[in-house]
Amino acid sequence: MLDHERGRVALASGAVIGTWIWDITTDKVRVDAALERAFGMGPMTKPWALADLIGAVHPDDQFDLRSAIADAVARGGQYVHRYRIQGLDDQWRWVEGRGWVNRDAAGVPISLPGVLIDISQTRRVEEARDRAEALLNTFVEAVPGVVYAKDRQGRLLIGNRGTNELLGRTPEEYLGRTDAELLEDPVQAKAVMDADARIMASGQLEQLEEEINFPDGRRAIWLSTKAPLRDAQGQVIGLIGASLDITDRKAVEASHREIEERYRLAALATRDAIWDWRMSDGDVVWNEALTTLFGYDQLQSSAQWWLEHIHPDDRQRIDHSIHAVIEDGGHAWSAEYRFLRADGQYADVLDRGTVLRGPAGEPIRMIGAMLDLTERKAAQAALAESEERLRLATEASDIGFWDVDLVNDLLIWPARTKAMFGISAHVSCSMADFYAGLHPEDRQRTSEAFAAAADPARRALYDVEYRTIGKEDGVTRWVAATGRGLFESDRCMRVVGVAIDVTARNLVQRQLKELNEQLESRIQAEVAERIRIEDALRQSQKMEAVGQLTGGIAHDFNNMLAAIVGPLDLLVGRLDPGDERARRYVDIAMEAAKRAAQLTQRLLAFSRQQPLQPEALDANKLVAGMSELLAHSLGGNVQLETVLAGGLWRTHADPNQLENVILNLAVNARDAMAEGGRVTIETANCHLDHGYTDAHPGIAPGQYVLIAVSDTGQGMPAEVINKAFDPFFTTKEVGRGTGLGLSQVYGFVKQSGGHVKIYSEVGSGTTVKVYLPRLQGAAAESAASALVRPLPRGEAQEVILVVEDEPAVRQVSVDALTELGYRVLEADGAAAALKMLEIEPGITLLFTDVVMPEINGRKLADQALARWPHLKVLFTTGYSRNAIIHNGVLDAGVHLIVKPFTLQELAVRVRAVLEEP
């Protein structure tokens, strides 16, 4: 019944402590003397109960012991359980009880005989084994990377957490399976298994790099160390391995190789003598330029050799300066000195170096470049001699010499030139003095002429005549100046020229002009009459061409205006608050630019190419909101009356342009009433039937919102009404009108799908009726705030890419956005912009011109949004050419700011686009 073999071994080894028999029916236990001693009890005076024996067991083991005995009794057959008892030495030791539950014929348990075996030594061995196994498991899990073992067939026997991550499986899923069964890439699996088979066959340890594909698609390079797994007899029974992810290390190594290659190529390509000084031993490595520049046939020297080849008069200074940088914790060093050539001559050199330091700041290396200045010094000396000769020559004549060094921002004026600006000979001058000394009326064209001469693309002759206002004496003089730019490659280095005081010559010319004034007046009158007749003859032929040209002209003109308005707007914030004259000049220029912009908008309106932003509009509210503006514009001798219809339909139109239309009509009405009168603005719902539309081609029958502007003036004859909408036609005296007001009205109304009609009779006043289509269905009104708020500013993490093919406009946009606090990048076209977007993923807003060569702004935006959907886009244009505007209406979802724009307009528009959800 007992495990006889185990019992025999236990008896032979002396491990049996004693025996017992438990009578289950009477709960009496008989034990031998050895067992009594083992439990620390005296001789039995009466039979023991089972509880007596269990009470002598370690308290922590008593519950499990009862459960094990109960289970054996209930089950019958063998009983085995381990627990602790306390010996005579008061020490707890582990024992194992083994027995057999006997049953009677009815299957009722009647007895449980057994033996008690001392297993203390066995437990110590098992505990040591468990500790070793736990330590091994901990070690395997703690090792970075992948640790594994395989049998001869390549089946995995063990793997750590790294193995789980690599395979994307749990140990239960991969243990006992090969790489061919586990890896999705059969090529990769075969390569791994072939390498494993080779190592097991050779019996040698190998270290190899393996390319690994993770289940999530990542690719990595692993450095694997693999060795044969041997049994006690030394036979190879499998393979053990450990792998580390060296992907980052390989990338760093590749980067280092690339840097070293770049350094090598740069050293070969440059004409500078590149040197690398290692501080630890004083060794200096040179590039080939040491030979080509200075004639030394060597690529390596000591630092002392370099120092000894410095001119004796310079040596101490250079030695002190370079060691001051090295020893005082500096990084950059530069100096000019004379260096001995191999032929015994000294060369003037400019030497620059950078100190590379270790973690503790200790100098490790110093890398630098030595530039031969000999030719440059000779050229500078020759130039200085030439300039001195020129100075002597000009002083002997009436000519003043001038030289603008654009690289170093220097202005060279001899005494004669300074006198033309009313400046004493001993006073230093700069370009600021030049611009400040120009007459305000001549400053812009003179500045433009200078910019054209310095522009590498134009390289124009600087030939201009202007007035100066003496800085010290206030005298106005006339100066004629000519000059040219000096260029190196595509960069203007200097602009030089001469100036002559032509004040006396101009005085003589003016006197001569006065003598011929009457004759010239007659000739001018005849010429003017002939020109008027010829213009009238050509007018009808030009009308179609004007309509086609206005869009292009507006685009170019708006670009020029953008390059004027933007700098002026930025300049305002940089003016000295006390410099009232400068501010007045800027205000004059800004007002002129705004007037030019208005003229451009009128040209666009006439050609129906202005970008409209229509919205649901209540004409009554718009007219009511203009009351104060209209009253101010009409003046005190004109009475304003508004008649607004109840229940007026809404229309779909651009509110800003419609305000301009009403204001234009009201001002025209005011001008028609020289002695004052009344201007009436009415609104009404109306229906144009087929009879009316048949008589007026180009308008569809339907419901319209009517806005009528009437005056009590003298009215217009029929021939004037027929020409009223022609561009440049005006009945006003010269200087009071451009002839584009009603043309703008006509263009806007037609572009908005409406109709305009003039009703007038001489002596009965005039009424202009504007019909705009009714907006069907409900539409939300947009509320616009007229409050002037502080400039909305950006943050440095908000990155804007400016794309503009016009350099001046691009520069203004970059400066304005930088002024507003954004980080700004720039590109001169679509191709450069797309490259910039690839290398700068943090770009928040694409600010692009619409009309550009090759790829326009809309196509650029479409390509960019296809790759970066979350990119915000703001267009700018002076003329859209239907890229973002169709039928005169801005495309849905498109944001646009029209050139020229002010800093306030740009700040508000950019902020609105960035904050749009």
Side-chain angles (χ1 to χ4, degrees):
M1 291 183 294
L2 297 175
D3 187 341
H4 296 294
E5 181 59 24
R6 185 176 178 87
R8 186 185 64 78
V9 173
L11 288 170
S13 61
V16 174
I17 298 174
T19 62
W20 83 85
I21 298 176
W22 175 36
D23 186 338
I24 298 175
T25 57
T26 63
D27 190 24
K28 302 299 183 183
V29 181
R30 295 196 304 275
V31 300
D32 61 13
L35 197 60
E36 286 181 352
R37 290 192 297 273
F39 277 87
M41 300 178 179
M44 291 181 59
T45 57
K46 62 177 181 177
W48 290 351
L50 180 63
D52 296 329
L53 289 178
I54 293 176
V57 173
H58 193 288
D60 294 345
D61 302 338
Q62 291 178 10
F63 178 79
D64 290 341
L65 177 58
R66 291 190 187 94
S67 299
I69 293 173
D71 180 66
V73 170
R75 185 183 67 253
Q78 188 178 32
Y79 154 78
V80 178
H81 188 68
R82 293 182 176 185
Y83 50 90
R84 289 167 289 180
I85 64 172
Q86 191 172 28
L88 296 176
D89 57 359
D90 294 332
Q91 298 296 317
W92 294 98
R93 56 178 173 169
W94 280 95
V95 297
E96 182 179 272
R98 305 186 66 86
W100 189 271
V101 177
N102 297 314
R103 297 175 181 269
D104 59 13
V108 177
I110 57 174
S111 65
L112 173 56
V115 298
L116 193 65
I117 303 171
D118 188 343
I119 61 169
S120 298
Q121 182 62 28
T122 302
R123 286 290 297 182
R124 283 192 291 272
V125 172
E126 290 176 347
E127 289 173 355
R129 179 202 63 200
D130 293 343
R131 285 195 299 272
E133 183 176 350
L135 180 61
L136 175 61
N137 290 335
T138 301
F139 171 76
V140 169
E141 289 298 322
V143 172
V146 176
V147 177
Y148 50 87
K150 303 177 182 178
D151 62 14
R152 284 302 296 257
Q153 286 71 42
R155 292 187 292 262
L156 281 164
L157 303 175
I158 189 173
N160 68 341
R161 185 181 295 105
T163 309
N164 303 346
E165 295 175 356
L166 173 62
L167 297 176
R169 303 170 186 260
T170 63
E172 292 77 9
E173 294 175 306
Y174 65 73
L175 291 181
R177 301 174 70 183
T178 66
D179 292 298
E181 298 173 292
L182 296 171
L183 298 180
E184 295 182 0
D185 186 348
V187 176
Q188 179 183 335
K190 184 177 184 304
V192 173
M193 294 190 71
D194 288 349
D196 293 349
R198 183 182 67 251
I199 293 169
M200 288 188 285
S202 68
Q204 300 296 320
L205 178 144
E206 284 190 26
Q207 191 174 70
L208 62 158
E209 292 182 3
E210 297 176 306
E211 188 171 321
I212 301 299
N213 298 320
F214 282 86
D216 60 4
R218 289 183 295 125
R219 300 178 66 87
I221 300 175
W222 291 77
L223 178 62
S224 299
T225 303
K226 300 182 179 182
L229 177 63
R230 302 178 185 273
D231 60 13
Q233 289 73 39
Q235 297 298 315
V236 176
I237 60 172
L239 175 139
I240 58 174
S243 300
L244 288 174
D245 188 344
I246 60 169
T247 306
D248 292 340
R249 191 185 78 186
K250 296 292 286 187
V252 171
E253 291 174 354
S255 176
H256 286 172
R257 287 195 299 271
E258 182 180 357
I259 292 171
E260 290 174 356
E261 179 64 11
R262 287 179 178 175
Y263 172 76
R264 186 185 69 82
L265 294 175
L268 290 174
T270 183
R271 296 186 68 251
D272 291 1
I274 307 297
W275 48 268
D276 186 345
W277 175 15
R278 190 169 58 223
M279 300 291 181
S280 59
D281 55 9
D283 185 61
V284 180
V285 178
W286 301 82
N287 70 340
E288 288 80 355
L290 183 66
T291 301
T292 57
L293 291 178
F294 305 110
Y296 293 106
D297 188 15
Q298 62 188 70
L299 297 178
Q300 194 167 357
S301 73
S302 65
Q304 186 62 32
W305 177 89
W306 164 73
L307 188 63
E308 291 171 352
H309 282 70
I310 297 176
H311 193 285
D313 294 344
D314 301 334
R315 189 174 301 153
Q316 183 176 356
R317 171 176 60 85
I318 298 303
D319 188 28
H320 175 76
S321 69
I322 195 168
H323 280 90
V325 173
I326 295 171
E327 295 167 4
D328 294 345
H331 291 280
W333 168 80
S334 66
E336 289 189 21
Y337 57 87
R338 290 162 289 178
F339 186 74
L340 183 64
R341 299 181 189 271
D343 61 5
Q345 300 295 318
Y346 280 96
D348 290 300
V349 299
L350 170 63
D351 209 347
R352 297 92 67 205
T354 299
V355 181
L356 305 181
R357 300 184 178 274
E362 73 280 6
I364 299 176
R365 295 167 63 192
M366 190 171 183
I367 299 176
M370 186 189 298
L371 175 64
D372 188 348
L373 299 177
T374 305
E375 294 181 1
R376 183 182 296 181
K377 292 275 188 178
Q380 290 174 345
L383 179 61
E385 181 180 357
S386 175
E387 289 174 345
E388 179 63 15
R389 290 177 179 176
L390 179 60
R391 184 187 64 81
L392 294 174
T394 54
E395 287 182 355
S397 66
D398 292 333
I399 300 174
F401 169 75
W402 52 269
D403 183 351
V404 181
D405 185 343
L406 297 176
V407 176
N408 300 302
D409 192 22
L410 297 176
L411 173 64
I412 301 173
W413 269 353
R416 189 175 299 279
T417 307
K418 291 180 181 179
M420 298 179 191
F421 285 79
I423 300 175
S424 301
H426 66 279
V427 176
S428 298
C429 297
S430 66
M431 287 299 290
D433 295 302
F434 167 69
Y435 288 116
L438 294 174
H439 193 285
E441 296 178 2
D442 302 335
R443 184 174 295 128
Q444 180 175 342
R445 61 183 180 83
T446 305
S447 301
E448 290 174 352
F450 184 83
D455 185 354
R458 290 182 284 176
R459 305 193 181 198
L461 172 67
Y462 177 72
D463 188 358
V464 65
E465 192 170 303
Y466 52 81
R467 288 165 290 177
T468 66
I469 300 176
K471 181 177 181 180
E472 298 174 6
D473 56 17
V475 175
T476 300
R477 300 174 177 86
W478 277 95
V479 176
T482 59
R484 280 198 179 276
L486 302 180
F487 298 87
E488 289 186 9
S489 185
D490 289 334
R491 183 183 184 189
C492 184
M493 309 300 291
R494 301 164 64 194
V495 183
V496 298
V498 295
I500 304 175
D501 188 334
V502 295
T503 306
R505 185 197 71 183
N506 285 2
L507 177 60
V508 172
Q509 290 177 345
R510 187 165 60 252
Q511 291 172 345
L512 180 61
K513 181 179 179 181
E514 290 174 356
L515 292 174
N516 297 323
E517 185 175 10
Q518 291 183 351
L519 177 62
E520 290 183 357
S521 297
R522 290 196 299 271
I523 294 174
Q524 288 175 356
E526 292 293 335
V527 171
E529 179 62 15
R530 173 172 292 185
I531 291 174
R532 186 188 66 78
I533 295 173
E534 290 175 351
D535 287 345
L537 180 63
R538 291 194 299 265
Q539 182 67 18
S540 61
Q541 298 173 346
K542 288 183 178 181
M543 288 309 299
E544 182 176 358
V546 169
Q548 296 174 353
L549 287 174
T550 48
I553 293 172
H555 170 256
D556 294 338
F557 199 49
N558 275 332
N559 272 339
M560 290 186 287
L561 286 173
I564 296 172
V565 172
L568 288 174
D569 212 2
L570 292 172
L571 183 60
V572 170
R574 289 171 169 75
L575 288 178
D576 185 346
D579 193 348
E580 296 181 357
R581 176 186 291 180
R583 183 172 292 277
R584 182 168 67 254
Y585 293 161
V586 172
D587 290 343
I588 292 171
M590 182 64 83
E591 181 61 26
K594 289 180 179 179
R595 290 172 59 194
Q598 291 172 355
L599 178 60
T600 307
Q601 290 303 315
R602 290 182 175 181
L603 288 171
L604 285 173
F606 161 67
S607 61
R608 307 184 203 175
Q609 293 169 352
Q610 62 180 340
L612 300 182
Q613 301 186 48
E615 58 186 58
L617 187 65
D618 185 337
N620 281 349
K621 288 185 178 180
L622 185 138
V623 172
M626 294 179 64
S627 297
E628 184 176 351
L629 173 63
L630 291 168
H632 177 75
S633 301
L634 297 178
N637 63 339
V638 176
Q639 179 183 355
L640 174 65
E641 181 178 356
T642 58
V643 181
L644 306 180
L648 187 68
W649 298 326
R650 290 183 183 174
T651 185
H652 194 241
D654 187 319
N656 294 326
Q657 296 297 332
L658 184 55
E659 284 185 351
N660 287 336
V661 165
I662 296 173
L663 185 60
N664 267 333
L665 295 176
V667 170
N668 280 348
R670 177 202 65 191
D671 294 344
M673 300 181 295
E675 303 300 326
R678 182 175 70 254
V679 173
T680 303
I681 300 177
E682 301 175 279
T683 63
N685 297 327
C686 67
H687 183 275
L688 301 182
D689 58 17
H690 286 280
Y692 183 90
T693 57
D694 291 341
H696 298 82
I699 182 170
Q703 295 176 327
Y704 289 80
V705 175
L706 169 65
I707 302 174
V709 179
S710 304
D711 63 61
T712 58
Q714 295 300 314
M716 294 186 288
E719 61 269 25
V720 173
I721 294 175
N722 292 335
K723 297 180 180 180
F725 293 122
D726 290 351
F728 309 114
F729 175 80
T730 179
T731 59
K732 300 175 184 177
E733 59 268 32
V734 176
R736 292 202 61 194
T738 62
L740 287 172
L742 287 177
S743 298
Q744 180 185 12
V745 172
Y746 180 86
F748 164 76
V749 174
K750 289 297 183 182
Q751 197 173 354
S752 300
H755 174 62
V756 59
K757 182 70 175 175
I758 299 178
Y759 298 88
S760 182
E761 292 180 7
V762 176
S764 301
T766 301
T767 298
V768 180
K769 293 186 177 182
V770 173
Y771 300 88
L772 296 174
R774 176 187 180 184
L775 176 63
Q776 300 292 339
E781 278 189 71
S782 62
S785 172
L787 295 177
V788 177
R789 296 183 172 87
L791 282 178
R793 305 191 67 82
E795 299 179 356
Q797 65 266 27
E798 294 177 308
V799 184
I800 299 179
L801 173 58
V802 176
V803 187
E804 170 64 62
D805 60 313
E806 288 290 335
V809 180
R810 182 172 68 251
Q811 186 61 54
V812 170
S813 299
V814 170
D815 290 347
L817 291 167
T818 303
E819 180 79 12
L820 292 172
Y822 300 96
R823 187 163 77 89
V824 185
L825 306 174
E826 61 178 294
D828 60 358
L834 291 172
K835 291 180 181 178
M836 186 69 71
L837 285 166
E838 289 178 352
I839 63 177
E840 289 284 346
I843 292 174
T844 313
L845 174 67
L846 175 65
F847 181 42
T848 178
D849 189 19
V850 175
V851 180
M852 295 188 295
E854 299 182 359
I855 300 177
N856 64 33
R858 182 53 189 262
K859 292 182 179 178
L860 166 61
D862 290 342
Q863 294 181 27
L865 290 172
R867 300 173 63 183
W868 298 279
H870 300 296
L871 182 67
K872 301 294 182 67
V873 180
L874 174 59
F875 294 101
T876 180
T877 186
Y879 169 47
S880 69
R881 296 184 185 169
N882 291 333
I884 59 173
I885 297 172
H886 296 87
N887 299 321
V889 178
L890 194 65
D891 291 348
V894 171
H895 301 286
L896 173 70
I897 183 171
V898 178
K899 300 176 186 175
F901 45 79
T902 65
L903 185 63
Q904 175 77 31
E905 293 168 345
L906 179 62
V908 173
R909 201 74 183 100
V910 168
R911 197 69 254 160
V913 174
L914 288 175
E915 293 178 355
E916 184 182 61

